[in-house]
Amino acid sequence: MIDRYARAAMKAVWDDSSKYDKWLAVEIASCEAWTSLGTIPEDDMIQLRTAQYDMDLIDKHFAVTRHDMTAFTRSITDQMGLAGRWIHLGLTSSDVMDTALSMQVLEAADLLLEDIDDLLLALSKLAKIHKNTLMMGRTHGVHAEPTTFGMKLALWYDEFGRNRRRLEAAREENAVGKISGAVGSHATAPPELEDATCELLGLGVAPVSNQIIQRDRHAQFLQTIALIGASAEKIATEIRHLQRTEVREVEEPFGEGQTGSSAMPHKRNPELTERVCGLARLLRGYASTALENVALWHERDISHSSAERIIIPDSCMALDYMLSILTEVLIGLKVYPERMEANLNSSRGLVFSQRVLLQLIDKGMSREEAYGIVQSQTSIAWSDGVDFRELITKDVAASQVLSAEDFEELFDYNYYTRFVDVSYRRVGLE
């Protein structure tokens, strides 16, 4: 991930120092486990606890070996005496790499959970402010019936609650290590070694493995990230639509001195939410690649490895960045209730068509007759720009069934918001 779209804390999880630190932690933990099993003498273990890798030596050995793990272990043993012989005892590269990868995934997941919590807090605050801010609900991009801006926010809040639970579940599936040897048979690394090593690292144990931790676990993690990204895109897309000049019900924060166009000084573009939408596409592509990595030849090949070096770190960094800027947008979002009201009234009462239809039916008119009356008058309202209430109250057939008091009650926006409290209670916003 390029620096522009990578935040420091998440970037640090995936840099080489973090990776090698975790490789070293796995190597030392396995030595501790061997010591507890009586294989490594305690005197040697004292020295092994001080083992360090050297980045320059890794590069030097890699230039010859072309093998990450061999270069890494040699950079350690070059600096040690005879005790260095215990490093990597009975292990295969994936024992170290995959177990360390699990540790990185857990760190990344914890950061993403914090991001979601920040987003949930921003949504919660905004939803409480705009609980009763009346606006037009739209389906197919067309005016449908009134709702509140708070209901829209409550919907997003509820969805990100689900996303948090999904991420917790994906994190749990990846909280395992694997110390089982070349094909997972434990021939050179007994199960007790695996149990002890993983316990020292704070991980569970993959119940059965071949040479690797199975990639369905990582695929679930990246699919979850992609799904969270899709939810972020959903919010971003709505904000973009509501910021359109013709609508202008909300607007991204726009800083002093910020420019929207090199050519047009008046421009204030929804560039942050557009960025969220663009990166969400990237996450879906990475999730697809993660699915391709599940099926490998026999006990393992390395066709997954090259892709994983990109898709796992980049997915984490991209989502971390997306959630941070989306939270920034929500915290600074400009909301224009008066514009929402103007747009609500711009369709000249047509939103009440269903209420009139249902009331006519309730008064004894057939559905077909009632529908025909209402549709005819709404058609005139659409084409001639006349207020629907004025037309329907003058309709002979309708006025014979409905009284002036009925019409007064029917054309009341509060009818559409009377159950907002129920929805808020259901999602925990009360």
Side-chain angles (χ1 to χ4, degrees):
M1 182 61 62
I2 62 175
D3 284 344
R4 182 181 179 125
Y5 301 140
R7 300 204 300 164
M10 184 64 81
K11 188 176 178 182
V13 172
W14 298 105
D15 66 20
D16 283 345
S17 293
S18 174
K19 178 180 72 173
Y20 291 139
D21 284 347
K22 290 172 178 60
W23 286 12
L24 182 62
V26 176
E27 292 285 1
I28 293 176
S30 70
C31 289
E32 295 278 12
W34 278 122
T35 301
S36 69
L37 295 175
T39 300
I40 298 178
E42 180 60 39
D43 287 347
D44 284 351
M45 191 62 232
I46 292 171
Q47 186 177 351
L48 287 164
R49 291 187 186 111
T50 67
Q52 294 292 327
Y53 63 86
D54 182 285
M55 299 284 271
D56 291 335
L57 287 175
I58 291 174
D59 292 341
K60 172 187 171 184
H61 288 305
F62 183 77
V64 177
T65 65
R66 312 306 297 175
H67 192 283
D68 287 357
M69 187 54 60
T70 301
F72 173 75
T73 56
R74 287 186 183 178
S75 83
I76 299 171
T77 57
D78 280 359
Q79 306 173 71
M80 302 185 71
L82 192 59
R85 72 189 189 279
W86 302 115
I87 292 291
H88 209 65
L89 181 67
L91 307 185
T92 190
S93 298
S94 294
D95 288 328
V96 178
M97 291 177 170
D98 279 7
T99 302
L101 177 58
S102 292
M103 296 164 69
Q104 288 177 291
V105 166
L106 298 189
E107 282 189 22
D110 288 340
L111 289 175
L112 293 174
L113 287 167
E114 290 178 11
D115 292 339
I116 291 177
D117 287 341
D118 290 341
L119 181 62
L120 285 168
L121 181 60
L123 286 169
S124 172
K125 288 181 177 179
L126 205 56
K128 290 174 182 177
I129 292 170
H130 293 287
K131 178 180 177 180
N132 296 307
T133 301
L134 202 64
M135 70 178 298
M136 179 54 69
R138 299 170 174 90
T139 58
H140 306 277
V142 178
H143 283 200
E145 291 187 350
T147 183
T148 74
F149 187 50
M151 282 290 286
K152 197 182 292 289
L153 293 158
L155 186 83
W156 299 340
Y157 177 85
D158 187 43
E159 183 163 340
F160 264 90
R162 293 194 297 276
N163 282 329
R164 195 186 199 288
R165 294 190 293 274
R166 291 177 181 123
L167 184 56
E168 287 173 337
R171 182 192 186 283
E172 182 64 25
E173 288 293 350
N174 281 273
V176 296
K178 175 262 179 195
I179 308 290
S180 57
V183 294
S185 65
H186 291 286
T188 58
E192 312 91 83
L193 177 77
E194 184 174 52
D195 292 340
T197 302
C198 290
E199 183 177 2
L200 286 169
L201 296 169
L203 296 171
V205 174
V208 62
S209 57
N210 44 33
Q211 194 170 94
I212 59 170
I213 291 176
Q214 299 306 288
R215 262 44 196 176
D216 64 285
R217 297 178 187 269
H218 306 85
Q220 180 186 0
F221 182 58
L222 265 63
Q223 285 179 291
T224 300
I225 285 177
L227 183 52
I228 296 170
S231 293
E233 181 183 18
K234 171 183 179 174
I235 295 174
T237 298
E238 184 68 9
I239 292 172
R240 289 169 60 197
H241 279 307
L242 295 179
Q243 187 168 331
R244 284 179 298 140
T245 305
E246 295 82 358
V247 180
R248 201 168 178 268
E249 295 180 355
V250 304
E251 190 175 61
E252 280 187 12
F254 195 84
E256 185 178 351
Q258 184 177 343
T259 60
S261 166
S262 62
M264 297 168 283
H266 72 279
K267 293 282 281 180
R268 292 190 174 192
N269 303 323
E271 57 98 5
L272 293 173
T273 46
E274 287 174 341
R275 205 179 305 165
V276 169
C277 293
L279 290 173
R281 300 167 189 168
L282 188 71
L283 296 182
R284 289 192 284 275
Y286 286 162
S288 177
T289 303
L291 289 172
E292 297 292 335
N293 283 346
V294 173
L296 303 174
W297 287 15
H298 306 301
E299 276 58 59
R300 186 251 177 142
D301 62 58
I302 62 167
S303 60
H304 64 95
S305 178
S306 54
E308 281 180 357
R309 292 171 190 262
I310 299 170
I311 64 173
I312 298 179
D314 277 17
S315 290
C316 294
M317 284 187 274
L319 183 61
D320 174 60
Y321 176 76
M322 290 166 62
L323 294 177
S324 73
I325 61 172
L326 186 57
T327 300
E328 175 189 332
V329 167
L330 291 167
I331 290 172
L333 191 68
K334 296 178 181 178
V335 181
Y336 301 115
E338 66 286 348
R339 182 65 181 173
M340 292 178 175
E341 183 179 0
N343 287 334
L344 188 65
N345 294 323
S346 67
S347 56
R348 300 178 181 274
L350 288 175
V351 297
F352 296 102
S353 67
Q354 182 178 198
R355 287 215 69 198
V356 175
L357 168 67
L358 295 177
Q359 188 71 350
L360 289 172
I361 294 171
D362 190 57
K363 294 287 187 176
M365 190 177 287
S366 73
R367 181 176 181 84
E368 288 72 22
E369 183 182 3
Y371 197 96
I373 291 170
V374 175
Q375 186 179 48
S376 174
Q377 298 298 354
T378 57
S379 179
I380 295 170
W382 270 118
S383 59
D384 296 350
V386 182
D387 188 82
F388 170 62
R389 180 174 181 173
E390 179 184 337
L391 290 170
I392 197 67
T393 54
K394 291 179 179 179
D395 184 274
V396 175
S399 60
Q400 287 177 345
V401 176
L402 301 177
S403 66
E405 291 77 16
D406 288 331
F407 283 119
E408 188 66 32
E409 181 182 338
L410 288 173
F411 286 82
D412 181 3
Y413 286 125
N414 291 324
Y415 172 84
Y416 298 98
T417 62
R418 66 195 193 280
F419 296 122
V420 169
D421 285 345
V422 176
S423 295
Y424 268 54
R425 284 196 300 272
R426 286 177 172 178
V427 302
L429 282 171
E430 287 289 346

